[in-house]
């Protein structure tokens, strides 16, 4: 097929020069940064035959524009105009979108680069995710929403915004594990269950704890909580009470359970081996649970008559109620655990006997129950007890009476328990003796505190040396005072005795609680412990050991950790796999993600009063209430971001969540790279005097934009963040971070004046009567139609523009109003209060771009933007790498979009020979002719997980639809869009010979093309498909009324079926393309476009009305930055003239233009002779002119001249060798008369007054000419360079040196150029009283100044070209009120005209600088390539058709069509030109004879739907 | 912990209570503050307005005398002057040479200079302050007032966040005080015009006092003799002129710390305060 041929087959051949240079070139381009700039570049490239890799660092494309509510000056909804572009990108088969990707490096050279990329994990399988959002609903973790600039929150699994592309979710995870989670020896996911409690998901929290902790309620009471010691919250106030939250979750669940039943148990699979566990404490119980889950039969041997080990013997009931312990142990036991009580190792059985009995593995977890002796003299006296010997019986409920005075020796938890138990056993006075200080006590601080509360006394830094006894019974304890010396091996300071400090404490009982060791026989011990390796295996094969018997007295959580580990080691051992080794390495932990989090005190649990405590063993702490638990859990900082709680995994129907996804790197070969990384906003808090981040009602402009957005954090309500109250008065402070070299950036951010004005206008729409002040230095409304917008805001809507830079904002106590202090232009101080202050934050290069640039080897300018030249604005410092958008210089959307297309064109020039070599084209089977077949409709109804199915009864809808005539197949699918469903649909089409397809699911906007593809691949015409949206417009909006929603879905379904039965196959036409361009205008824009297209291999006809090329550029000699414009122009003309693909037609004007995209016929008159040129696209580059004026004595006084005339003189003086005869002027442009006054410029100290905005920005010419401020400054600086003593005064309305040109303004002021602002209403007056005199009223002070310059220089601005109305008529292309051509869309199609195939660049569009014109001209080449690179253009099926029978040739259709598609043909009948028709239906509706049909929307199809809804209602039921 | 202390003239005179309380508090914290031997005027009064060289040479002379030890300063004006001299000498080799000629010795501008607040908050630390606190300043609502000299210009003083410093807040919070958020922490009190144009001072101090009152403060804590004097000594006048009632005791932060440490009224020079703190302290059960 001809479509497959290389692109240049039709008349245009590849340029010889290029193909020789890049033999191995790659026909692919990488675009880095997927904001609107990157998107536009990608679309242009992909549409022109290049493979595109669109690389984006964030999770979605759309960039900064997706954050905007509206755009200026048109007031379009930003999302509404951006979203179609996003979808277009996603649908384009030749654009690979690579999100979460960073550039790692680049090698190679232009034409053949290899770029290394690193893609961060999304943790979601993009091929499975269908964006139903169930994961996000389930997710308990709320994080600050960076998209809304922390004005609201989002979930850890999220989509940045609703229309995000790729249309999938992603998960945010920190680098490193949450410290709490990393700290837990047993691997309990602390952040996870805390997050679940915070979300009120208590049962889920319990389930998550249970995964790694078999005793949640026990652990929730007595754990030593290493999680809390590591909690990042402790930097701010106190750690989150992680343990107490675990207790709460368990208690909450148990309170609702019927405790008599045991949860049903099902092992993963059943294993034949038996395992013996010796010891029924926490380690043994944990191992028993894990092993039975793995399918082993377990026998649990316990020496005592009860299970629980140290939990029961060591921990008193006031800390751990027995019913809690019993219940949780009971839950672990199941039919696969054989509990054998009163069976002691070494006595009742041995390791060998167990082996003989058939146990394949043995786990010894007998604990440490033997109290350590102290060997004090006299410790054999009656009344001296050891910790466990006392606590054991007490904890088993026995009475162990205590004397009045009890002394406890030791500082651990057992000592505290012994002391407190002694109180409960009748002791009146209990003293704890401990040899170190309080800080060194190993007991939990809360234990020590509670002991103190109960009246326990502490003798710290005290060591017992002797038990004093009388008649064999203890009477006291002799002690020695200690002091702390050097730290010992444990890092604690070693206690050293103080000589001679002996004293005696009276005692009736002494309890020694200084530690325990293993109490075990029949197993070899080392230091009182069993030696086990990292897998907990002992020296004996098949025998494992863990818990206190290995560790010595340790904690519950360590015992559980050993239990888990032993179980997995035993499982591995029995399965012959390598045994896992305990990981003792410290895990990398995540830092505090929110160091500025608000201080919030820890929730305290209610305790029973002290008086009640010591009477018995009732539990002291009564647990959190649900409210307290949620409040406490909300203190969590979510250090790991995602808590990995697993709820999303459970919620995700398609199973798309992959928590252990890893980053990956890949290398991609491309011919060229385009950088479009966009910008970051200035961090407003750096201007500390405005209090952003400190004062609630001070927002950045980005935050305010989000507030205005209906999809933003307040759903578009303008309210005070401090109290949510309505806003009555707003102040905007401009230039925060811009035009401020001290604390921000020296450049102007270009967009903020308009952006603030727009935000003001939108806010006014939201709030009636809002009082808005904008504090600014200048109002920089320099773009097309911008001044009109600002004027409307000021004059019609009362927005105040106050010329002042406020010095301070303070927050008023109480009201939290923001008070702004400023000095007005007269110097008076004001302190005004506002409900809201918005800081217009400037643009700066994005944070990561410096790094990327370094990796690419690119130069950046002094501010960190990409270094470029004004004469090559898209070329980065390395050949083959191009730049566009705000990374080049701060700029607005249309300029960015134009640069994007321009950068695409630059890339195409080098890669033209390999165009089309890497793109995919789809082959479809022959279409089945279904014209004569009866309708055989197949219906597929989507559940969309439960997005639809949970509200709409899809079965019922299917049943109802299935009864309709013509239906041969009906089914419902869980996800109709999945790959398997698509395959299934194809199978059904084949099997049941379906010839119409109806899908009821989500939005056609995103999914219609997918199903149409499936039809085409099945050999059916794509128009035989109807889709109805029963999700967005039904289940989502009516989720509270399932019945009505089902009814509505049925109605929608029936209508879709009725329509489907009437659908016809439509042919999509093909239109051959003439692969050449006609460029009107031989100035900078025209020549640049011509060269760019010529270099891509397309033939170009360049028509210039004058006898010479060059246009207005001939009058510009140098730029503000000092580039040599004249040299550039000469070079450009030479290149154009000798280019083999460009035919230059001088003194040529168009006479008639006919045809349409791909095939225009233009009659031109060239030097008096007419000829016709046939071409595929047309480019308007007809230029503009300097405005002529007679104001200010121009042309009447020799000392008055325009900026251009001054520039010419300065240029000649600067380079006297330049031809002194200026280049010829266009006809109609007068050269100013020879002037004697101007001779003064030759003096040593000439005095010059420049007047800006001459005959501009007034009622007659309300627009700004954009370039004059910079031109005046450029010339003033040149004059000062040539004549340092020259006096230059500039009279201006606003200085509009946007972007980096602001530096020129700064330089000029530094050079002594004086700037005086005059008001719109009071123009300066120039008089000639022998000498020139200029009177001006200073707009600030109001005082009148009189100046007597030698020379007055006028900035007269740029006027549209005189021919514009004529050309506008020939092309049927509209002009703006100012007389410039009107682009197709001012934001997103800045160089397209309304009709396809027609483009526009340079001054024909609007006043602009050289670099901006070059960008636009290149952009036109990029856009034109999307047409010229094709052999054929497709004509859509949905176009209008005229039935000529009834046509009266009234031409109504011709008049109403916005696209110029209808014409009256040679048969005197209307005819629609398919290539121009956009399928809007305007002609169909307007045709008085009803003889025009809009295909695919035919009357029969629409009435069938209405009939079904209104006439046949109920017929199918 | 030992620092070479530069008291400056204010602390010897009008702000002797600042001096007293500094000494007392340092002692309680185990901080050694031996004075720089033979210290002279820092130059912040008239020198820096009248003689550029003198304004650098005077502080340089003192810093040379510190002999490389870290210098501790209490007065914000001295602090600013010493820091400025350091900044200028370190960044201007010409000036360094000239100053060496005047001082009689080369000085590199690198002696470390710390304000007492920096020492207490960073070197001593909150833990020690909390430990030394015997009577926590419970229930006292304080606004901290840093004045303009400590944090500005930030590139010279490098003190703390120039707009929202928090060192004093941290120190007093550690002693149990309730610190109120208010916007005038670094507002100027007009001390520069104390002698030449008091109307300016009155206007500025009124603004500060009124804001402190509006914020709900019981008292103001200061770290500068000039600020303290303007807010305390002129308070009555300001009240008279504006018809408002402020009744806000203006403490040096060292006095508040001393109260928390349980030091005596005399050691802290509380009698020197013009707006009496007696009722406030009595109401809160402090310093009876």
């Amino acid at each position: 097929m001809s479509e497959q041929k290389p692109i240049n087959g039709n008349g245009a051949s590849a340029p010889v020069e290029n193909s020789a240079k890049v033999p191995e070139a790659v026909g692919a381009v990488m675009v880095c940064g997927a904001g609107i700039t990157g998107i536009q570049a990608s679309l242009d490239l992909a549409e022109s035959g290049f493979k595109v890799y669109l690389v984006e660092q964030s999770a979605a494309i759309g960039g900064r524009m997706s954050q905007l509510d509206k755009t200026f000056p048109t007031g379009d909804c930003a999302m509404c105009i951006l979203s179609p572009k996003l979808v277009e990108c996603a649908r384009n088969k030749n654009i690979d979108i690579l999100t979460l990707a960073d550039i790692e490096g680049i090698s190679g050279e232009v034409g053949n680069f290899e770029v290394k990329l690193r893609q961060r994990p999304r943790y979601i399988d993009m091929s499975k995710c269908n964006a139903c959002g169930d994961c996000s609903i389930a997710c308990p973790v709320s994080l600050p929403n960076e998209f809304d600039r922390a004005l609201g929150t989002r979930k850890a699994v999220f989509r940045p915004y609703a229309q995000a592309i790729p249309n999938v979710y992603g998960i945010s995870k920190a680098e490193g594990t949450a410290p709490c989670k990393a700290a837990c020896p047993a691997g309990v996911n602390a952040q996870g269950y805390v997050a679940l409690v915070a979300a009120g998901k208590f049962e889920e929290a319990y389930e998550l704890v249970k995964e790694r902790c078999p005793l949640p309620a026990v652990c929730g009471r007595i754990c030593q909580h290493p999680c809390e010691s590591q909690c990042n919250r402790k930097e701010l106030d106190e750690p989150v009470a992680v343990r107490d939250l675990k207790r709460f979750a368990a208690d909450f669940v148990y309170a609702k359970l019927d405790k008599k039943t045991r949860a049903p148990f099902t092992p993963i699979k059943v294993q034949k081996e038996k395992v013996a566990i010796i010891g029924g404490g926490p380690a043994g119980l944990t191992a028993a649970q894990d092993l039975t889950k793995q399918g082993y039969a377990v026998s649990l041997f316990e020496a005592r008559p009860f299970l629980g080990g140290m939990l029961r013997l060591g921990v008193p009931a006031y800390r751990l109620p027995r019913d809690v312990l019993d219940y949780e142990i009971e839950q672990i036991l199941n039919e696969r655990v054989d509990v054998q009580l009163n069976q002691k190792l070494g006595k009742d059985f041995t390791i060998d006997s167990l082996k003989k009995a058939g146990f394949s593995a043995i786990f010894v977890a007998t604990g440490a129950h033997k109290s350590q002796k102290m060997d004090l003299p006299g410790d054999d006296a009656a009344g001296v007890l050891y910790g466990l010997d006392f606590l054991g019986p007490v904890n088993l409920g026995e009475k162990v009476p205590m004397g009045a005075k009890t002394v406890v020796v030791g500082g651990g938890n057992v000592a505290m328990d012994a002391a407190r138990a002694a109180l409960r056993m009748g002791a009146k006075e209990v003293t704890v003796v401990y040899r170190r200080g309080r800080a060194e006590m190993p007991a939990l601080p809360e234990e020590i505190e509670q002991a103190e509360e109960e009246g326990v006394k502490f003798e710290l830094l005290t060591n017992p040396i002797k038990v004093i006894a009388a008649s064999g019974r203890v009477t006291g304890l002799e002690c020695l005072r200690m002091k702390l010396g050097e730290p010992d091996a444990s890092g604690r300071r070693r206690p050293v005795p103080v000589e001679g400090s002996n004293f005696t404490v009276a005692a009736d009982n002494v309890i020694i609680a200084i530690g325990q060791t293993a109490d075990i026989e029949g197993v070899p011990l080392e230091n009182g412990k069993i030696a086990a390796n990292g897998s907990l295996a002992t020296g004996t094969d098949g025998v494992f050991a863990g818990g206190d018997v290995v560790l010595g007295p340790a904690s519950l959580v360590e015992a559980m950790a050993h239990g888990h580990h032993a179980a997995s080691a035993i499982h591995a051992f029995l399965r012959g796999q390598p045994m896992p080794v305990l990981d003792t390495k410290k895990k990398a932990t995540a830092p505090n993600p929110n160091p500025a989090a608000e201080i919030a005190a820890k929730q305290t649990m209610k305790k029973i009063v002290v008086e009640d405590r010591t009477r018995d063993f009732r539990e002291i702490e009564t647990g959190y209430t649900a409210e307290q638990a949620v409040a406490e859990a909300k203190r969590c900082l979510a250090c790991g971001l995602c808590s990995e709680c697993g709820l999303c995994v459970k919620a995700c129907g398609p199973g798309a969540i992959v928590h252990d996804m890893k980053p990956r790197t890949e290398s991609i070969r491309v011919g060229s790279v385009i950088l479009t990384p966009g910008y970051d906003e200035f961090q407003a808090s750096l201007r500390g005097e405005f209090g952003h981040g400190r004062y609630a009602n001070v927002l950045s402009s980005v935050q305010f934009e989000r507030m205005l957005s209906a999809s933003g954090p307040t759903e578009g309500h303008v309210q005070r963040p401090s109290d949510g109250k309505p806003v009555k008065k707003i102040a905007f402070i401009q230039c925060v971070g811009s035009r401020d070299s001290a604390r921000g950036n020296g450049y102007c951010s270009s967009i903020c004046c308009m952006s603030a004005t727009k935000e003001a206008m939108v806010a006014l729409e939201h709030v009636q009567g809002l009082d808005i002040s904008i504090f600014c230095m200048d109002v920089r409304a320099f773009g097309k139609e911008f001044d009109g917008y600002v004027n409307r805001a000021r004059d019609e809507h009362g927005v105040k523009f106050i010329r002042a830079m406020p010095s301070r904002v303070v927050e008023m106590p109480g009201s939290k109003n923001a008070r702004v202090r400023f000095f007005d232009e007269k110097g008076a101080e004001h302190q005004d209060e506002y409900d809201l202050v918005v800081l217009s934050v400037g643009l700066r290069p994005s944070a990561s771009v410096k790094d990327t640039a370094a990796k690419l080897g690119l130069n950046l300018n002094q501010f960190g933007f990409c270094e470029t030249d004004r004469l090559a604005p898209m070329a980065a410092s390395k050949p083959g790498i191009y730049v566009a958008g705000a990374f080049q210089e701060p700029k607005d959307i249309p300029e960015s979009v134009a640069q994007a297309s321009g950068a695409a064109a630059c890339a195409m020039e080098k890669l033209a020979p390999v165009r089309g070599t890497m793109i995919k084209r789809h082959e479809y089977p022959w279409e089945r002719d279904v014209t004569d077949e009866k309708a055989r409709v197949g219906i597929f109804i989507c559940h969309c997980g439960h997005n639809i199915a949970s509200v709409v009864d899809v079965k019922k809808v299917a049943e109802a639809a299935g009864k309709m005539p013509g239906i041969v197949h009906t089914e419902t699918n869980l996800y109709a869009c999945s790959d398997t469903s698509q395959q299934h649909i194809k199978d059904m089409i084949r099997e049941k010979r379906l010839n119409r397809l109806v899908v009821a699911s989500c939005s056609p906007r995103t999914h219609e093309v997918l199903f149409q593809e499936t039809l085409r691949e099945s050999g059916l015409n794509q128009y035989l498909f109807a889709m109805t949206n029963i999700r967005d417009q039904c289940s989502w909006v009516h989720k509270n009324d399932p019945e009505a929603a089902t009814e509505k879905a049925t109605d929608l379904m029936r209508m879709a079926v009725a329509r489907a039965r009437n659908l016809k196959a439509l042919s999509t036409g093909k239109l051959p393309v003439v692969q050449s361009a006609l460029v009107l205008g031989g100035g900078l824009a025209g020549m640049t476009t011509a060269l760019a297209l010529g270099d891509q291999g397309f033939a170009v006809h360049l028509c210039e009305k004058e006898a010479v090329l060059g246009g207005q550029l001939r009058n510009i000699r140098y730029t503000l930055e000092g580039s040599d414009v004249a040299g550039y122009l000469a070079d450009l003309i030479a290149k154009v003239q000798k280019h083999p693909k460009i035919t230059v037609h001088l003194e040529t004007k168009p006479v008639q233009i006919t045809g349409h995209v791909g095939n225009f016929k233009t009659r031109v008159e060239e030097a008096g002779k007419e000829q016709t040129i046939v071409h595929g696209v047309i480019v308007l580059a007809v230029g503009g002119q300097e405005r002529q004026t007679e104001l200010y004595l121009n042309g009447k006084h020799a000392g008055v001249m325009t900026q251009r005339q001054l520039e010419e003189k300065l240029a000649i003086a600067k380079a006297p060798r330049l031809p002194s005869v200026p280049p010829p002027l266009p006809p109609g442009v007068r050269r100013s008369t020879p002037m004697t006054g101007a001779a003064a410029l030759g003096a040593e100290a000439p005095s010059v007054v420049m007047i800006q905005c001459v005959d501009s920005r007034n009622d007659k010419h309300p627009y700004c000419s954009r370039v004059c401020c910079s031109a005046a400054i450029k010339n003033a600086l040149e004059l000062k360079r040539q004549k340092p003593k020259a006096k230059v005064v500039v009279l201006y309305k606003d200085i509009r040196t946007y972007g980096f040109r602001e530096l020129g303004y700064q330089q000029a002021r530094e050079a002594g150029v004086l700037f005086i602002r005059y008001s719109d209403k009071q123009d300066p007056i120039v008089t000639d009283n022998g000498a020139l005199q200029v009177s001006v009223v200073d707009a600030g002070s109001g005082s009148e100044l009189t100046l007597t310059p030698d020379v007055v220089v006028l900035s007269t601005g740029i006027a549209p070209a005189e021919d514009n109305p004529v050309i506008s008529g020939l092309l049927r292309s509209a002009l703006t009120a100012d007389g410039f051509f009107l682009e197709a869309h001012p934001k997103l199609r800045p160089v397209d005209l309304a009709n396809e195939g027609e483009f526009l660049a340079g001054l024909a569009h609007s006043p602009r600088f050289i670099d901006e014109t070059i960008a636009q001209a290149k952009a036109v080449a990029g856009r034109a390539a999307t047409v010229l690179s094709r052999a054929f253009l497709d004509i859509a099926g949905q176009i209008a058709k005229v039935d000529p029978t009834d046509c009266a040739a009234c031409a109504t259709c011709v008049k109403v069509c916005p696209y110029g598609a209808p014409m009256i043909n040679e048969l005197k009948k209307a005819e629609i030109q398919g290539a121009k028709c956009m399928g809007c239906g305007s002609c169909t509706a307007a045709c008085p004879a009803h003889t025009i049909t809009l295909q695919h929307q035919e009357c029969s199809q629409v009435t069938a739907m209405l009939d079904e809804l209104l006439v046949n209602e109920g017929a199918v039921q | 912990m030992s620092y070479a202390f530069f008291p400056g003239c204010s602390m010897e005179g009008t702000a002797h209570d600042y001096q007293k309380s500094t000494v007392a508090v340092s002692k309680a914290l185990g901080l050694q503050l031996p004075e720089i031997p033979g210290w002279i005027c820092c130059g912040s009064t008239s020198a820096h307005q009248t003689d550029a060289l003198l304004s650098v040479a005077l502080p340089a002379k003192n810093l040379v005398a510190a002999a490389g030890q870290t210098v501790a300063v209490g007065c914000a004006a001295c602090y600013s002057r010493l820091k400025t001299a350091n900044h200028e000498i370190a960044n201007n080799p010409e000036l360094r040479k000239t100053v060496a000629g005047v001082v009689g010795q080369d000085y590199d501008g690198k002696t470390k200079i710390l304000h007492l607040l920096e020492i207490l908050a960073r070197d001593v630390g909150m833990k020690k302050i909390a430990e030394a606190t015997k009577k926590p300043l419970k229930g006292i609502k304080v606004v901290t007032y840093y004045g303009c000299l400590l944090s500005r210009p930030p590139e010279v003083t490098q003190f703390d966040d120039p707009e929202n410093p928090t060192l004093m807040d941290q120190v007093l919070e550690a002693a149990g005080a309730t610190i109120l958020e208010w916007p005038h922490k670094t507002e100027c009190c007009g001390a520069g015009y104390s002698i030449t144009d008091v109307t300016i001072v009155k206007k500025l101090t009124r603004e500060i006092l009124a804001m402190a009152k509006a914020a709900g403060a019981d008292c103001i804590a200061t770290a500068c003799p000039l600020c303290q004097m303007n807010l305390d000594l002129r308070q009555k006048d300001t009240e008279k002129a504006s018809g408002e009632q402020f009744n806000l005791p203006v403490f040096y932060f060292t006095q508040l710390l001393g109260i928390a440490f349980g030091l005596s009224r005399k050691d802290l020079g509380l009698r020197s305060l013009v707006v009496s703190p007696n009722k406030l302290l009595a109401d809160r059960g402090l310093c009876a």
Side-chain angles (χ1 to χ4, degrees), chain A residues 755-766:
Chain A
S755 170
T757 308
K758 172 205 71 184
E759 289 183 353
M761 293 281 261
V762 177
L764 277 161
E765 280 171 24
H766 290 221

Side-chain angles (χ1 to χ4, degrees), chain A residues 751-894:
Chain A
I751 62 167
C752 326
C753 285
M754 284 308 290
S755 170
T757 308
K758 172 205 71 184
E759 289 183 353
M761 293 281 261
V762 177
L764 277 161
E765 280 171 24
H766 290 221
V767 184
Q768 285 274 307
L770 197 60
D771 177 323
I772 300 181
S773 301
I774 299 179
F775 291 96
C776 56
M777 298 193 268
D778 293 284
V779 181
R780 294 194 163 169
F782 51 82
K784 196 171 183 177
E785 314 272 294
F786 288 5
D787 259 324
Y789 188 72
V790 170
N791 293 343
R792 276 203 303 286
R794 188 188 54 211
D795 303 334
E796 291 168 28
H797 299 276
V799 176
K800 286 169 270 186
F801 290 86
I802 301 174
R803 303 223 176 216
M805 173 47 83
S807 56
R808 197 154 188 72
V809 175
V810 301
E811 179 175 85
M812 298 309 285
S815 69
K816 293 201 185 259
N817 283 345
R819 189 179 74 186
V820 177
R821 178 159 86 201
F822 67 97
F823 292 82
D824 66 22
E825 287 185 284
K826 294 193 168 61
E829 186 191 352
H830 299 263
Q831 304 225 33
D832 294 349
E833 285 185 31
Y834 296 88
D835 291 308
L836 202 61
V837 167
V838 179
L839 306 179
S840 286
V841 285
L843 277 52
R844 61 185 175 95
S846 70
S848 59
V849 86
K850 197 173 164 190
D851 193 41
T852 309
K855 284 174 178 156
L856 293 173
L858 298 182
N859 299 342
L860 301 179
N861 75 5
Q862 62 185 112
F863 305 113
F865 288 85
C866 191
E867 185 186 275
T868 55
D869 190 279
R870 288 284 180 216
L871 299 176
M874 277 89 64
S877 61
K878 189 165 176 168
I881 301 186
Y882 304 98
V883 60
F887 178 44
Q888 190 260 336
E889 185 170 2
K891 58 173 66 68
D892 63 6
I893 294 170

